[in-house]
Amino acid sequence: MSGYNIVDHQMIDKHIIFIRINPTEIALTLKEVFDSLSDLAWISAFDGHYLQTGYKTRAELSIAYIAANIIGPHDDAVTSESGEYVVSELARKTVVDYLKYLHIPLGDLIKEKEAVNHGFDFFSRNLNEVLLFGEAKYNKRDNAYGTSFEQIIRFENEKRDHSDLIDIDRFCCENSKNNFSKGMKGFIAAFASKKTSTPKLIAGIKKNRHFIAASKFTEVICIAVNI
């Protein structure tokens, strides 16, 4: 995906990563986000025909919904509807392509209900075989890290990560699932960011009570997307 650049990458703590992304051209970014969501090549990794058919059916329903209602073929501006998809997919692609973590398709493509927020937005697994659960938030006026971390902590308290594990089970190795059962897990807070400088943005994140609560987990990744 060439529609964005990584403009900052630093460690907030030994287990907490901060990455900042800058879309290079919104129209191109939107097109590439939609193309990335529409790429169903991952389905071929499953041997069983019934699995391929099942995942294909779920994914195509969501893609059709997104194309008709959220990201159109000629969109050239991020809207409140498309914003969270842009943040989710850019964050997911960053952990896969840049950090070399596990590729798991966006949650809306693999869950039973299409385009409905009933759990975490995206997922991955780090190089230490720890599962990561991502939550994306978009706000056209403000930095959205507060709402992203708030929802992460609320979902963790509600054990949404446990219920989501059923949906991503076939994408995960046994070690990562065993680690999860032992409490080893992490979270990715992906959020729209504005013109705030990176030092000021990180200072605000570190003061956020939901970030402080999240920092007790095995790994935390903060991904700021400049939209």
Side-chain angles (χ1 to χ4, degrees), residues 30-64:
L30 285 165
K31 180 183 183 302
E32 292 195 350
V33 164
F34 182 76
D35 288 346
S36 180
L37 293 173
S38 303
D39 183 359
L40 301 184
W42 53 271
I43 292 175
S44 63
F46 295 99
D47 294 330
H49 178 70
Y50 75 99
L51 282 175
Q52 292 184 5
T53 302
Y55 279 122
K56 187 171 185 288
T57 300
R58 287 184 181 181
E60 286 180 342
L61 285 171
S62 286
I63 291 166

Side-chain angles (χ1 to χ4, degrees), residues 46-90:
F46 295 99
D47 294 330
H49 178 70
Y50 75 99
L51 282 175
Q52 292 184 5
T53 302
Y55 279 122
K56 187 171 185 288
T57 300
R58 287 184 181 181
E60 286 180 342
L61 285 171
S62 286
I63 291 166
Y65 179 90
I66 293 166
N69 299 280
I70 298 173
I71 302 177
H74 305 297
D75 285 356
D76 59 1
V78 175
T79 67
S80 58
E81 289 77 19
S82 65
E84 286 192 7
Y85 277 94
V86 172
V87 172
S88 292
E89 188 60 8
L90 291 184

Side-chain angles (χ1 to χ4, degrees), residues 165-176:
L165 189 56
I166 296 170
D167 291 304
I168 65 172
D169 174 62
R170 294 183 183 274
F171 296 89
C172 306
C173 66
E174 289 303 314
N175 282 344
S176 63

Side-chain angles (χ1 to χ4, degrees), residues 23-196:
T24 54
E25 181 184 339
I26 291 300
L28 175 61
T29 300
L30 285 165
K31 180 183 183 302
E32 292 195 350
V33 164
F34 182 76
D35 288 346
S36 180
L37 293 173
S38 303
D39 183 359
L40 301 184
W42 53 271
I43 292 175
S44 63
F46 295 99
D47 294 330
H49 178 70
Y50 75 99
L51 282 175
Q52 292 184 5
T53 302
Y55 279 122
K56 187 171 185 288
T57 300
R58 287 184 181 181
E60 286 180 342
L61 285 171
S62 286
I63 291 166
Y65 179 90
I66 293 166
N69 299 280
I70 298 173
I71 302 177
H74 305 297
D75 285 356
D76 59 1
V78 175
T79 67
S80 58
E81 289 77 19
S82 65
E84 286 192 7
Y85 277 94
V86 172
V87 172
S88 292
E89 188 60 8
L90 291 184
R92 192 192 68 81
K93 290 289 289 181
T94 296
V95 299
V96 172
D97 296 341
Y98 183 64
L99 297 181
K100 307 303 180 185
Y101 289 4
L102 180 67
H103 165 73
I104 299 177
L106 202 68
D108 278 349
L109 302 185
I110 59 178
K111 294 182 181 183
E112 184 174 0
K113 294 181 180 179
E114 70 273 13
V116 176
N117 185 9
H118 59 292
F120 284 97
D121 294 322
F122 62 101
F123 314 90
S124 190
R125 183 200 68 203
N126 71 15
L127 302 180
N128 295 317
E129 298 186 330
V130 173
L131 293 176
L132 305 172
F133 300 81
E135 186 60 32
K137 289 296 178 187
Y138 171 78
N139 187 310
K140 67 180 181 179
R141 293 179 299 274
D142 302 314
N143 297 311
Y145 62 81
T147 51
S148 182
F149 275 111
E150 185 277 331
Q151 190 142 307
I152 284 171
I153 295 304
R154 179 162 58 85
F155 277 3
E156 199 279 332
N157 288 335
E158 294 171 355
K159 299 189 183 299
R160 299 285 187 99
D161 49 343
H162 290 259
S163 60
D164 279 342
L165 189 56
I166 296 170
D167 291 304
I168 65 172
D169 174 62
R170 294 183 183 274
F171 296 89
C172 306
C173 66
E174 289 303 314
N175 282 344
S176 63
K177 289 181 279 190
N178 289 335
N179 285 334
F180 179 86
S181 69
K182 297 173 185 175
M184 296 172 61
K185 60 186 177 183
F187 297 96
I188 306 169
F191 54 89
S193 56
K194 305 308 171 185
K195 294 182 179 179
T196 309

